[in-house]
Amino acid sequence: MKKDLHPKNYRLVVFKDMSNDYSFITKSCIDTRETVKWEDGNEYPLVKLEISHTSHPFYTGKMKLVDTAGRIDKFRTRYAKK
């Protein structure tokens, strides 16, 4: 195996699904600026997710509408001449 292939700065990080406030803690080397106090009383780096296994339609079995406007309408409002 190649030496020095993987990063060495793994630490415990909290990942939070913003759509349903589900949080889990795991080891990661991702850089983040925010921190959060976990259930054990310690403070850990926080990574905010838009979707996780608790909110993804494949795992939940139900479709969830994220937005009500269509793609074309959103594009037109975003890039409309002012």
Side-chain angles (χ1 to χ4, degrees):
M1 294 198 36
K2 293 182 181 179
K3 293 185 177 191
D4 300 326
L5 182 66
H6 297 286
K8 300 203 183 314
N9 60 344
Y10 281 98
R11 66 203 186 286
L12 290 175
V13 177
V14 175
F15 289 87
K16 182 175 183 179
D17 186 347
M18 300 308 290
S19 64
N20 61 4
D21 290 333
Y22 174 76
S23 299
F24 60 95
I25 190 167
T26 186
K27 284 190 169 185
S28 178
C29 61
I30 191 168
D31 290 328
T32 180
R33 296 179 186 193
E34 297 182 60
T35 60
V36 66
K37 190 170 247 183
W38 189 244
E39 299 162 355
D40 61 1
N42 294 329
E43 197 164 316
Y44 297 104
L46 174 68
V47 177
K48 294 180 179 177
L49 304 172
E50 292 188 26
I51 195 161
S52 71
H53 70 282
T54 59
S55 62
H56 194 280
F58 179 79
Y59 295 107
T60 60
K62 55 186 169 186
M63 291 298 295
K64 180 176 156 184
L65 290 175
V66 177
D67 58 343
T68 56
R71 290 183 187 177
I72 296 171
D73 294 332
K74 286 175 72 175
F75 177 83
R76 286 182 181 159
T77 55
R78 184 181 299 157
Y79 296 107
K81 291 184 179 181
K82 297 178 181 178

